[in-house]
Amino acid sequence: MFIAAILGVVTGLLAWHQVQSERRIDLDDIASRSHVLAQQLSGRVVGSLQLPDEEARASLEDRLDGYRRLLGYAVFRPDGSLVAAGPAVVEFAEVIEAAVVEALASKHEVIRLTRAAGARLHILAEPIPEGGPITGVLVVAHDVSYLDDRATARFANYAFWILLVTLLAVTLVVGSTWLAYERPLSMLADWMRRLRVDDAVEAPPGLPTGRLRSESDRLAASFRAARSTGRALSEAAMYSEQVWTPDRLRAHAVAALGDANQLIVVSNREPYMHQRRDGKTEALVPAGGVVTALDPVLQACGGVWIAHGAGDADRATSDANGRLTVPPGDARYTLRRVWLTREEEQGYYYGFSNEGLWPLCHLAHERPIFRVTDWEQYRIANRRFADAVLDEVGSGKGVVLVQDYQLALVPRMIKEARPDLRVGLFWHIPWPNAEAFRICPWGAELLDGMLGADLLGFHLQQYGNNFLETVDRMIESRLDWDHFAVDLRGNRTLVRPFPISVQPWSERHVPEGDELAQQQSALREQYQLGDVYIAVGVDRIDYTKGLPERFRACARLLEQYPQYRGRFTLVELGAPSRTHIPRYREHLDHLEALAEEINWKYQADGWKPIRFLVGHHDAKTVHAFLQMAPMCVVSSLHDGMNLVAKEYVAARAGADGVLILSEFAGAARELPDALVVNPYDIEQFVEAIRQGMEMNSVERYARMQRLSNQVAENNIYRWAANLLTALANTQPNVVSTSAGS
Ligand code: F6P
């Protein structure tokens, strides 16, 4: 109604404006015509005005009549008296005389448009002769009543057309808005409702292509994933009445895997590495998430762990087939070492895995390097690991858990030889978005290798979403969004999130009670820690861990809050890692120089703000520091999960403590009671450290209890149980005939 009123007013104004312009043109025409007529008669009138009235009237008589719209002429003397007038003009004498009086007074022509006796008149009163003493006034009068009728007709005509064109335009705009905007939105709303209440989840076919379409496809995918995760979680909840233990996992594995209960784990990194030091051979537990997480699972379930024998005493401590039982002195499972040549290790591990895939998957602004020779070695090494798996399985049955990005081709290689084996692949690092992954020159081959697995696990749903989108973009396969699965070359791969976790410290052989207290006071003395407030960090020295950001935040804290000088120390337990790669060596050098620079600036009386302890730290030392530090700092720039965060929480069970945790570590999704920071934002980082130090004990305790309940409930045994349950429920070798993404 309002729009109609506006439309009416606008149309009226436009039509009126047009009619007025045309009326002005018509009046200009009449005025020109009157001038021409006056011009033609003026010679004769000048002559006549020389004569007395009677004769003058007689001489003009035949020229004063008008025709049609021209009413006629009238002639006046300079004193305003009428000499002669046409018969039609006489009727309007009053208005004409008024114009004559005005012309005589102004000595200029006067044009009047006026209404008299029911008619519209146009009057020209022109003094004559032009340019000399005035001898009279000649009047030309027109009846222009027709102009009013014409204006009315024109107004109606214009109003009609303007209205018609406007209505057409409005119809077009409204129609196209409905088509392009309202209809898709209402379809979207309808579809979202169905997505919520029914199982109908295909995005509506009528949606326009482009972002709306692709975003709704993603939304649908996430929704399906959430739903299937929800189903999986509710299944898992059946097992959650009690905390998961090694015994419970063992029993569960036997039940879930049935006769295929030979468990084979394959990873690049071995859980126990033998090294020669000072003429003696010692077994080290390498730093890193895979070992921390998988060793307790193998200790609980038994089985075989196949890994690269990278220690310089590994061959001497294995049998002819590369086998030995571990843990040393407490045989729980078999470690089968795979031997790689120097060239293979260089290309496969240092090159393609850690200079290519590692920076590709972590958003830490490090450029990936892809060399064709590295890729060749990656394929060769993956074949070696796959062959070792097949050798261990023999003709028997088993379940194979392949670990991480170093072994992406292994699942397909195993399946090609043994389609009946159940194969899971767990990806311990983030999966980037499809656009980022595309730069890998052998991305399609990697995806194909991974999609040999029956189950593909990531820490977060987000990484699974990224993976499916990558598959969608890069290879011809059939995506089953409802089940979050991919069918490729006869194999179906389920993609699921399994947030990895840690083993309770109570199960590890670490000092407790007095022994722990003694160890801690020895460490305080060794590193001159006195009774300062300790923030601890435990990391492999890797550019993804945000160590420069952490060091700089400590320096800024002391600059901004001088009261903490002498009272706060960051103890960073840094394990050198991948030091054969120049970038890692440079990073270590940079960190040592940075710590030195900060210490030099602030250190006093034996106190240092940063104790950067570079070396291999065993579980006992790590535990002692986690136990005595009221704060732990994890500042990864990007991290699949980060188990140090969970290790700290597990070490603080029953106590208080503050965890500063990067929002870019997967663990941040599960540990909201940490102080979550953006490590790139130094001011926020500093405030979090200050807030943690100043936090009252009630809050510290409450937060840490919620965190440790979360980690205790979702420990590594539950992770393994969920993974094995999901893998046991897969159906290996399902042949799919349709292809096309
Ligand atoms: O967490 C990712 C990861 O590559 C794991 O596979 C491994 O446990 C850890 O980092 C350590 O890396 P690396 O085995 O190269 O020393």
Side-chain angles (χ1 to χ4, degrees):
M1 194 59 206
F2 176 68
I3 291 177
I6 298 239
L7 214 60
V9 170
V10 169
T11 304
L13 283 174
L14 282 174
W16 182 82
H17 179 262
Q18 185 62 22
V19 166
Q20 288 309 311
S21 330
E22 293 186 6
R23 186 182 168 84
R24 270 193 298 279
I25 293 169
D26 286 347
L27 287 173
D28 286 349
D29 283 351
I30 296 284
S32 310
R33 192 159 166 250
S34 298
H35 281 119
V36 172
L37 292 172
Q39 193 67 37
Q40 286 169 354
L41 198 58
S42 63
R44 179 114 164 241
V45 170
V46 169
S48 302
L49 286 171
Q50 311 290 329
L51 305 173
D53 281 359
E54 276 306 314
E55 289 172 42
R57 201 172 294 127
S59 76
L60 291 169
E61 205 164 15
D62 60 322
R63 295 297 309 273
L64 297 181
D65 271 0
Y67 173 68
R68 296 184 61 195
R69 290 168 188 161
L70 174 64
L71 289 172
Y73 304 87
V75 178
F76 291 82
R77 296 253 179 226
D79 62 359
S81 60
L82 178 66
V83 178
V89 175
V90 176
E91 198 183 337
F92 307 104
E94 199 176 324
V95 289
I96 289 174
E97 278 169 17
V100 169
V101 168
E102 202 179 323
L104 284 169
S106 67
K107 297 189 175 40
H108 287 292
E109 69 168 38
V110 167
I111 290 177
R112 281 274 164 280
L113 183 66
T114 183
R115 184 173 283 283
R120 172 80 65 192
L121 293 189
H122 183 276
I123 297 164
L124 168 66
E126 190 167 286
I128 51 173
E130 220 179 324
I134 295 173
T135 57
V137 175
L138 172 60
V139 172
V140 182
H142 280 91
D143 179 354
V144 290
S145 302
Y146 72 96
L147 286 184
D148 289 347
D149 300 340
R150 186 184 280 178
T152 310
R154 276 180 179 159
F155 184 82
N157 192 31
Y158 285 132
F160 170 76
W161 284 109
I162 290 172
L163 202 61
L164 190 70
V165 170
T166 312
L167 280 176
L168 268 175
V170 168
T171 311
L172 268 175
V173 170
V174 170
S176 51
T177 307
W178 182 79
L179 267 179
Y181 183 68
E182 285 196 17
R183 181 168 166 269
L185 280 189
S186 103
M187 288 169 81
L188 203 58
D190 190 44
W191 168 71
M192 284 164 100
R193 188 194 58 75
R194 282 188 292 118
L195 190 63
R196 189 167 40 84
V197 294
D198 306 337
D199 249 0
V201 284
E202 286 311 320
L207 271 190
T209 51
R211 282 202 64 198
L212 186 59
R213 169 101 222 172
S214 73
E215 286 303 328
S216 32
D217 282 344
R218 283 176 198 187
L219 178 68
S222 303
F223 201 87
R224 289 178 196 116
R227 189 173 274 165
S228 64
T229 305
R231 275 197 291 263
L233 284 177
S234 57
E235 279 166 24
M238 292 189 318
Y239 300 103
S240 74
E241 291 113 44
Q242 61 194 74
V243 168
W244 279 83
T245 60
D247 288 343
R248 191 171 167 206
L249 173 63
R250 193 178 309 114
H252 178 75
V254 169
L257 303 177
D259 59 352
N261 62 4
Q262 181 175 208
L263 181 60
I264 294 177
V265 168
V266 53
S267 72
N268 170 71
R269 184 59 65 203
E270 57 185 335
Y272 300 92
M273 175 191 272
H274 285 94
Q275 293 278 34
R276 266 188 208 99
R277 249 193 226 171
D278 306 327
K280 285 193 204 142
T281 297
E282 57 185 36
L284 300 178
V285 177
V290 167
V291 171
T292 308
L294 269 297
D295 180 58
V297 174
L298 266 289
Q299 288 204 35
C301 299
V304 182
W305 185 327
I306 298 169
H308 173 214
D312 58 13
D314 275 354
R315 277 185 196 266
T317 47
S318 320
D319 70 12
N321 296 314
R323 292 202 189 94
L324 68 159
T325 53
V326 288
D330 180 21
R332 301 284 187 97
Y333 64 94
T334 301
L335 171 60
R336 156 94 185 250
R337 287 170 170 153
V338 171
W339 311 119
L340 299 177
T341 64
R342 220 13 97 68
E343 193 189 7
E344 285 163 0
E345 186 180 359
Q346 170 61 43
Y348 140 79
Y349 173 74
Y350 289 108
F352 191 73
S353 296
N354 288 317
E355 290 188 285
L357 288 180
W358 181 267
L360 179 74
C361 293
H362 289 89
L363 306 178
H365 312 287
E366 188 65 28
R367 195 173 175 152
I369 300 171
F370 293 111
R371 304 179 193 93
V372 70
T373 45
D374 291 347
W375 169 242
E376 280 306 315
Q377 296 304 334
Y378 185 86
R379 286 166 53 193
I380 291 169
N382 270 240
R383 172 64 63 196
R384 281 200 199 288
F385 284 97
D387 287 347
V389 171
L390 294 169
D391 184 38
E392 287 298 328
V393 179
S395 56
K397 294 184 175 180
V399 163
V400 185
L401 295 180
V402 183
Q403 304 300 315
D404 228 351
Y405 62 98
Q406 300 94 343
L407 303 178
L409 304 180
V410 169
R412 175 72 65 196
M413 290 171 172
I414 295 174
K415 279 291 186 159
E416 274 168 356
R418 287 289 304 272
D420 59 309
L421 288 181
R422 283 212 172 83
V423 178
L425 168 62
F426 192 82
W427 196 263
H428 289 257
I429 63 176
W431 188 273
N433 68 45
E435 208 46 47
F437 187 81
R438 271 181 58 208
I439 67 169
C440 176
W442 303 284
E445 288 94 325
L446 274 177
L447 293 174
D448 183 88
M450 295 170 76
L451 291 171
D454 301 298
L455 178 68
L456 172 54
F458 291 98
H459 292 302
L460 305 183
Q461 180 62 49
Q462 163 84 57
Y463 304 152
N465 293 353
N466 287 352
F467 177 79
L468 252 64
E469 278 173 28
T470 308
V471 171
D472 197 16
R473 290 268 195 96
M474 290 189 62
I475 56 175
E476 282 289 311
S477 61
R478 200 171 75 81
L479 290 181
D480 178 350
W481 291 99
D482 274 337
H483 297 96
F484 232 65
V486 185
D487 291 328
L488 178 67
R489 302 212 276 130
N491 196 71
R492 158 159 287 217
T493 306
L494 292 183
V495 179
R496 294 284 182 277
F498 299 99
I500 205 161
S501 194
V502 294
Q503 177 188 27
W505 281 102
S506 57
E507 294 174 8
R508 307 189 218 179
H509 305 292
V510 289
E512 285 173 23
D514 289 347
E515 198 190 339
L516 175 63
Q518 276 169 21
Q519 185 193 6
Q520 290 172 338
S521 68
L523 288 171
R524 277 196 184 268
E525 202 177 313
Q526 183 180 355
Y527 298 113
Q528 294 172 278
L529 293 169
D531 60 354
V532 295
Y533 184 99
I534 296 175
V536 68
V538 184
D539 302 84
R540 277 187 313 102
I541 297 175
D542 191 299
Y543 53 80
T544 59
K545 302 293 179 185
L547 295 175
E549 286 74 8
R550 195 179 305 177
F551 288 4
R552 282 195 283 266
C554 292
R556 180 96 179 102
L557 174 84
L558 300 173
E559 183 190 336
Q560 209 169 334
Y561 300 103
Q563 67 269 31
Y564 295 132
R565 293 180 193 175
R567 291 178 48 210
F568 168 92
T569 292
L570 170 72
V571 177
E572 177 60 45
L573 307 182
S577 174
R578 305 170 189 168
T579 46
H580 192 53
I581 298 174
R583 179 68 183 90
Y584 280 77
R585 285 202 301 275
E586 284 162 22
H587 190 59
L588 176 55
D589 291 347
H590 170 62
L591 287 171
E592 284 183 320
L594 185 59
E596 172 56 31
E597 184 188 318
I598 295 167
N599 283 339
W600 185 83
K601 188 167 177 190
Y602 293 104
Q603 67 195 9
D605 304 329
W607 167 79
K608 287 186 183 201
I610 298 174
R611 294 281 171 180
F612 187 25
L613 312 183
V614 178
H616 181 83
H617 303 282
D618 61 16
K620 289 180 184 172
T621 310
V622 170
H623 175 251
F625 271 113
L626 295 180
Q627 266 277 341
M628 71 174 159
M631 176 181 285
C632 175
V633 188
V634 173
S635 53
S636 310
L637 305 182
H638 200 195
D639 215 331
M641 172 55 71
N642 193 293
L643 289 184
V644 173
K646 293 189 176 183
E647 293 280 38
Y648 178 66
V649 169
R652 308 291 301 185
D656 64 357
V658 175
L659 173 64
I660 309 262
L661 179 56
S662 163
E663 62 180 288
F664 306 122
R669 314 277 175 114
E670 289 180 89
L671 305 176
D673 277 295
L675 298 182
V676 176
V677 297
N678 171 355
Y680 292 97
D681 183 344
I682 190 165
E683 301 303 326
Q684 189 201 42
F685 202 158
V686 167
E687 277 315 305
I689 297 176
R690 197 191 60 79
Q691 186 194 342
M693 289 174 75
E694 300 299 334
M695 191 182 283
N696 69 60
S697 61
V698 175
E699 183 178 353
R700 277 198 318 261
Y701 186 82
R703 280 178 183 258
M704 189 45 75
Q705 283 325 293
R706 288 194 292 266
L707 289 171
S708 54
N709 287 345
Q710 150 73 21
V711 172
E713 269 180 38
N714 298 288
N715 62 18
I716 189 61
Y717 305 116
R718 168 165 292 175
W719 174 83
N722 287 341
L723 193 71
L724 291 176
T725 307
L727 189 54
N729 288 338
T730 59
Q731 292 174 340
N733 203 21
V734 171
V735 178
S736 158
T737 45
S738 49
S741 54

